[in-house]
Amino acid sequence: MSAKVRENYSSLDGLRAYAAVGIVLMHVLANLMIKPSDNFLTIDIIPWFTNFTLLFMIISAFSMCCGYYERVKSGAITPTKFYAKRYHRTWPFFAMMVMISFAMDPSWSTFCQSFADLTMCFNLLPNPNIEVIGVGWFLGTVFTFYMLFPFFTFLLDNKKRGWMVLLLSLVFCYIAIVYFGTPDFVVKPIDKVNIIYSAPFFVAGGMIYLYRQGLKSWVEKHWMIALASCLVLTVLRFVVDIKGLFILPDLIVFAAWLIYAIGSKDIVLNNRVAKYLSGISMEIYLCHMMFFRVVSMLHLDKFIHNNDMLYVATCIMTLIGAICFSHVIKYYVFKRIENKIRQ
């Protein structure tokens, strides 16, 4: 059943692929010593790409529901099989990156952080500020969602309850930010690392799953209206003053794009490149900062004197390195290891 559902929502590949590339562009811009020229793209658009992790959360929840919602609800899958599949999907590549990071800087601090990383449960720490594979915070938050998925299924047992849960999750998120996020309770403000902050995005993905058939049918019939709505909402996200709305603007924008994707067949979201990048999007996300550091050591600024071209070249080389590394590790190294284990 899950395989058929996933084939019907192939446009999700495009969302994953472009989100992964966008996050790479954002991290390169944030960490590059020599910045490109200031303009709307580099000041407003690319820095906002950091929120694509929130888009990943909505997609993850929707995809998880496609594969496991009915099976968990009916008891057709055991906890052992469910969690074993989650570890099998996310742990090997992440563990390899953690061990590489530890080998490059062995110390008591990196050992403790690496140990926490390898459990995949580090988001349960009271202050999960881990620098070993810093981008791995997202994996910690998503794995916490995996841990809670049976409870998540209970919460979204039906549409009526789902709407109530979505509303309550938004209220809880707001309270967490303005009350529990103060120095009296935490050493740093509550943000995307916290599961309460991220909960509305996971719930939104689950709610879209509950309405998936009607939404898919509507988008197929009115895809131009759906696409135009997504574009308008995205533009409004940047031109309208959104102070005081906390996570709502991004939640609405990303939910709209997911709704469009489940019924869309346009070539932008459905193409071989997007499908390929989607297959290694998690790996690209986890390893791209390693290749950014490698590219930085090449000192491209000695050869490229235009700051804008330097940024573009650094992005391209970082992406190429991350894509090649991810492809080799996932489709060759890990495949051979799996084959030997099966023998």
Side-chain angles (χ1 to χ4, degrees):
M1 175 180 174
S2 60
K4 293 181 180 179
V5 172
R6 286 170 183 165
E7 289 178 1
N8 291 335
Y9 305 129
S10 58
S11 290
L12 296 184
D13 292 336
L15 289 185
R16 291 191 189 96
Y18 300 133
V21 172
I23 290 173
V24 173
L25 299 181
M26 179 275 299
H27 276 142
V28 171
L29 178 63
N31 291 277
L32 200 62
M33 295 297 294
I34 302 175
K35 303 295 185 183
S37 57
D38 291 342
N39 52 60
F40 183 67
L41 188 64
T42 58
I43 297 298
D44 297 296
I45 301 295
I46 296 178
W48 177 72
F49 288 171
T50 185
N51 292 324
F52 282 166
T53 51
L54 301 174
L55 173 60
F56 272 135
M57 291 177 190
I58 293 183
I59 297 173
S60 295
F62 180 83
S63 300
M64 280 291 292
C65 286
C66 288
Y68 297 102
Y69 178 86
E70 294 296 341
R71 286 194 283 173
V72 169
K73 193 173 180 178
S74 64
I77 187 171
T78 64
T80 297
K81 289 184 178 180
F82 175 76
Y83 291 112
K85 286 184 177 182
R86 294 302 91 206
Y87 270 105
H88 181 267
R89 171 68 183 93
T90 58
W91 191 82
F93 192 90
F94 182 55
M96 182 193 67
M97 294 302 303
V98 169
M99 289 184 282
I100 291 174
S101 182
F102 176 73
M104 295 176 64
D105 181 26
S107 67
W108 172 244
S109 177
T110 55
F111 171 79
C112 293
Q113 294 186 38
S114 298
F115 181 88
D117 276 339
L118 293 175
T119 66
M120 299 295 292
C121 299
F122 54 91
N123 197 256
L124 299 178
L125 291 167
N127 184 38
N129 185 24
I130 295 180
E131 296 178 355
V132 174
I133 315 299
V135 296
W137 71 264
F138 172 76
L139 216 55
T141 304
V142 170
F143 202 83
T144 304
F145 167 68
Y146 295 159
M147 295 167 64
L148 296 171
F149 189 76
F151 180 61
F152 178 82
T153 302
F154 157 74
L155 292 176
L156 269 64
D157 182 70
N158 55 70
K159 295 175 181 178
K160 182 178 180 180
R161 185 190 294 180
W163 281 111
M164 184 182 301
V165 170
L166 179 59
L167 176 61
L168 291 175
S169 70
L170 286 167
V171 174
F172 199 3
C173 175
Y174 181 77
I175 291 175
I177 295 171
V178 301
Y179 179 72
F180 290 106
T182 61
D184 292 336
F185 293 96
V186 293
V187 297
K188 57 177 294 188
I190 290 177
D191 56 16
K192 293 177 287 186
V193 178
N194 188 281
I195 190 64
I196 300 301
Y197 182 102
S198 303
F201 295 91
F202 290 117
V203 175
M207 286 298 293
I208 292 172
Y209 168 80
L210 294 180
Y211 286 91
R212 66 196 182 283
Q213 295 176 344
L215 291 172
K216 182 175 185 293
S217 176
W218 186 86
V219 173
E220 288 176 340
K221 295 177 181 177
H222 309 92
W223 69 271
M224 292 188 67
I225 297 176
L227 177 58
S229 299
C230 290
L231 294 174
V232 169
L233 287 172
T234 303
V235 171
L236 289 175
R237 167 63 178 76
F238 292 98
V239 300
V240 176
D241 185 6
I242 60 173
K243 292 180 181 179
L245 296 179
F246 71 118
I247 66 169
L248 282 175
D250 289 329
L251 180 65
I252 293 171
V253 169
F254 293 144
W257 278 106
L258 175 59
I259 291 171
Y260 171 71
I262 64 177
S264 167
K265 297 188 182 300
D266 69 73
I267 194 171
V268 176
L269 296 179
N270 292 270
N271 58 75
R272 292 183 179 181
V273 174
K275 184 175 181 61
Y276 168 72
L277 291 178
S278 175
I280 55 174
S281 58
M282 183 193 75
E283 290 77 10
I284 292 173
Y285 173 80
L286 290 174
C287 76
H288 73 272
M289 284 306 297
M290 178 176 72
F291 285 94
F292 169 75
R293 296 186 184 96
V294 172
V295 174
S296 297
M297 289 188 289
L298 298 177
H299 297 290
L300 295 179
D301 54 290
K302 294 182 179 180
F303 311 98
I304 304 175
H305 303 293
N306 182 286
N307 292 358
D308 293 335
M309 291 304 299
L310 176 63
Y311 171 68
V312 172
T314 303
C315 287
I316 292 174
M317 293 183 68
T318 299
L319 270 171
I320 291 175
I323 291 171
C324 292
F325 181 78
S326 300
H327 180 91
V328 171
I329 296 299
K330 181 172 183 176
Y331 296 122
Y332 289 94
V333 176
F334 284 172
K335 285 293 183 183
R336 289 190 176 185
I337 293 175
E338 288 182 2
N339 291 335
K340 287 184 178 180
I341 292 176
R342 290 172 182 173
Q343 291 176 359

